[in-house]
Amino acid sequence: MAQAALVGTSAPSQIDAARTVWSAAGPPYEPVPPLRGDVVADVAIIGGGFTGVSTAYHLIRRFPGLRVMVLEARHLANGASGRNGGMMLNWINGVSYRDPELTRRVYEATRDGIDDIVALIQEHGLPVRHRRDGCMEVLTDTRRAEAAHARVEQLATWGISLQYLDSATLARRLGVRGAAGAVLDATEGQLNGVDLLRGLRAVLLARGVVVHEDTPVLRVREGRTIELTTPGGVVRAAAIVLATNGYTPRLGYFRSGVFPLHSHVIATEPLDAEARAALGWGQVAGFSDDQDRIAYASMTPAGELVFGGGSNAAYAYLYGGRTSYPGTPDSAGPAFEAIRRRMTGYFPGAERLRLAHRWTGTLGITMSRLCSMGVRGEHRNVYYALGYSGHGVTLANLAGRVLCDIYAGDDARWRQLPFYMYPLGGIPPEPFRWLGYHVYTKLTGRSPRKVA
């Protein structure tokens, strides 16, 4: 049984502020050495998160002789791929699902993306902590619950099978206070991204992919051969992949298309089966609510409750698009306290639980919330995928397959999907960006966006 101390009384020393819940229980990690000297590659991938590692995996699998290199500024999974809420979700943010064919196409693409993640883990026997027993969207308003019920019935006629749970049925599956109903997607789940990326590193190295950690790219000079300047040397590549999501504007790309948003997350100590039952958590991987500032939670296989979102306080935009959150996690104390209050609002029993982890991750947000995947540049040799806007666990892993197909000229299956070459823009420059974000969120309690 979890300890009966209040979360708010936990001493700072009891909270692991250095590691996320995803990295805490893993084995010791030794990064590969940084780049030293000048080298040549066919494809140089900037970024060692889901997008970069997935792209490297699919490229080397399809083209075994290709010289593929991954350059990671710090360590694999250091960014949002290792600092998220862990939920593998269907759908693409920013899309209006009115057309049956488009709706089926999007759902099947993301469901297949989750299938691919699980199949990859099984094929290579990777020690990746994950679960796939469904996630829920919880409706907190009767009118929205009724609309969701109708939507589930409509989707069923389009061949998409979801389950609507009324408040009584939901209470037996997930004891969320104030819920009027929920939609369950049994194909969704939870993934430990740190496990996945560190496990895949060995697979990449065995297949000849060169990986360099602690190797930030300082400058990109485009041309028929692209030059990447790093602290230890220069990489000359026939093509590059921008796999840097919210960090991409720092390289000079998509400055008006994506902005970095810092997302704060907390996790409790492991709960045994009795403690989970007392909390009201049944057999489900996670849930999100229907608010604009979405609150979300997931339960790890070890029983840690991960919780984030729920208010403006759970997110931060820093002037100039800074991608490193200042100070230690203690500097975001009010944010973590706000998240804790939302958690205990949904689960009153969580007052008795102790926090074990709190961390901040940098998301890549677009104004429409729609991501983009494609290729650009005078020589059509700069590939990119970014702007996942909170759905990156599924979409960033899917991006590896998409970019590989675009590289191979075999991308017909993706061309009708809304993210394909989607033009990103509409984000104003500073100081209007910083002022607009903070004024809008303070006045409305919502996140600024526009309809795609």
Side-chain angles (χ1 to χ4, degrees):
M1 176 68 75
Q3 293 178 325
L6 296 178
V7 175
T9 63
S10 298
S13 61
Q14 295 174 298
I15 299 177
D16 190 339
R19 296 178 298 175
T20 71
V21 70
W22 312 119
S23 60
Y29 182 71
E30 291 294 331
V32 294
L35 175 67
R36 293 286 183 262
D38 296 353
V39 295
V40 175
D42 293 316
V43 181
I45 299 170
I46 309 172
F50 289 142
T51 303
V53 170
S54 177
T55 303
Y57 175 82
H58 286 290
L59 283 173
I60 204 64
R61 185 166 189 164
R62 186 162 185 172
F63 304 104
L66 203 65
R67 294 173 298 178
V68 180
M69 177 176 292
V70 176
L71 305 172
E72 164 54 39
R74 297 191 68 182
H75 302 157
L76 297 189
N78 180 74
S81 298
R83 297 176 176 273
N84 51 59
M87 295 168 68
M88 296 187 290
L89 301 175
N90 285 309
W91 307 110
I92 300 171
N93 280 346
V95 179
S96 297
Y97 295 103
R98 300 185 181 93
D99 175 74
E101 183 58 31
L102 174 63
T103 303
R104 280 194 296 270
R105 189 178 291 121
V106 168
Y107 184 80
E108 289 170 0
T110 52
R111 184 199 59 205
D112 291 349
I114 299 174
D115 288 345
D116 287 346
I117 294 170
V118 175
L120 185 152
I121 293 169
Q122 294 172 345
E123 177 183 351
H124 297 288
L126 302 179
V128 177
R129 289 160 287 180
H130 68 289
R131 56 187 296 184
R132 196 180 186 187
D133 44 3
C135 293
M136 297 181 183
E137 180 190 11
V138 170
L139 293 314
T140 59
D141 172 88
T142 301
R143 178 181 56 82
R144 288 194 293 270
E146 292 172 350
H149 192 180
R151 180 65 171 164
V152 167
E153 293 179 341
Q154 179 185 55
L155 290 173
T157 68
W158 296 352
I160 299 171
S161 180
L162 306 179
Q163 183 181 359
Y164 177 77
L165 308 178
D166 60 26
S167 57
T169 305
L170 172 61
R172 294 192 292 270
R173 297 287 299 274
L174 186 68
V176 178
R177 185 166 66 178
V183 176
L184 171 66
D185 187 334
T187 71
E188 297 178 331
Q190 184 200 66
L191 175 74
N192 185 318
V194 174
D195 284 353
L196 178 67
L197 294 177
R198 292 181 177 178
L200 278 174
R201 189 182 74 172
V203 176
L204 296 182
L205 293 174
R207 295 188 176 206
V209 174
V210 176
V211 178
H212 290 293
E213 298 178 81
D214 293 314
T215 304
V217 171
L218 306 177
R219 185 168 67 94
V220 179
R221 190 173 76 177
E222 288 191 31
R224 192 171 300 279
T225 296
I226 301 174
E227 291 188 359
L228 306 179
T229 301
T230 77
V234 174
V235 179
R236 293 176 176 85
I240 65 170
V241 177
L242 303 175
T244 42
N245 200 24
Y247 300 86
T248 308
R250 295 178 57 181
L251 295 172
Y253 295 92
F254 296 101
R255 286 175 172 165
S256 66
V258 65
F259 67 94
L261 189 68
H262 300 277
S263 175
H264 306 296
V265 190
I266 61 177
T268 70
E269 293 178 334
L271 312 179
D272 62 19
E274 185 180 356
R276 293 195 294 271
L279 186 68
W281 195 285
Q283 193 64 29
V284 64
F287 84 93
S288 58
D289 67 13
D290 56 352
Q291 302 299 309
D292 182 82
R293 287 298 209 183
I294 295 172
Y296 56 88
S298 63
M299 185 72 70
T300 72
E304 296 120 333
L305 175 61
V306 180
F307 202 99
S311 70
N312 284 340
Y315 304 94
Y317 174 73
L318 303 178
Y319 187 85
R322 285 182 291 164
T323 53
S324 296
Y325 196 80
T328 67
D330 291 334
S331 65
F336 294 119
E337 180 59 24
I339 296 170
R340 185 194 69 83
R341 287 196 300 270
R342 180 53 62 94
M343 178 177 71
T344 56
Y346 277 143
F347 300 102
E351 279 283 1
R352 298 187 299 272
L353 307 180
R354 286 190 182 274
L355 296 188
H357 304 276
R358 54 188 185 186
W359 67 89
T360 301
T362 304
L363 308 177
I365 305 294
T366 68
M367 285 298 290
S368 67
R369 300 303 187 267
L370 183 56
C371 63
S372 184
M373 306 180 194
V375 61
R376 57 181 287 167
E378 178 184 355
H379 301 284
R380 310 298 285 175
N381 58 355
V382 178
Y383 297 83
Y384 63 87
L386 74 168
Y388 307 117
S389 301
H391 272 219
V393 176
T394 300
L395 292 175
N397 279 288
L398 178 65
R401 184 178 293 276
V402 175
L403 295 183
C404 178
D405 287 347
I406 295 175
Y407 178 85
D410 184 26
D411 56 354
R413 65 175 293 196
W414 309 113
R415 292 183 181 181
Q416 301 304 312
L417 285 167
F419 57 66
Y420 183 87
M421 301 287 200
Y422 176 70
L424 298 177
I427 299 175
E430 299 290 17
F432 306 105
R433 180 186 303 187
W434 186 88
L435 287 171
Y437 177 87
H438 287 280
V439 170
Y440 184 87
T441 54
K442 184 174 182 178
L443 291 178
T444 68
R446 301 168 65 87
S447 177
R449 69 183 70 202
K450 67 176 183 180
V451 178

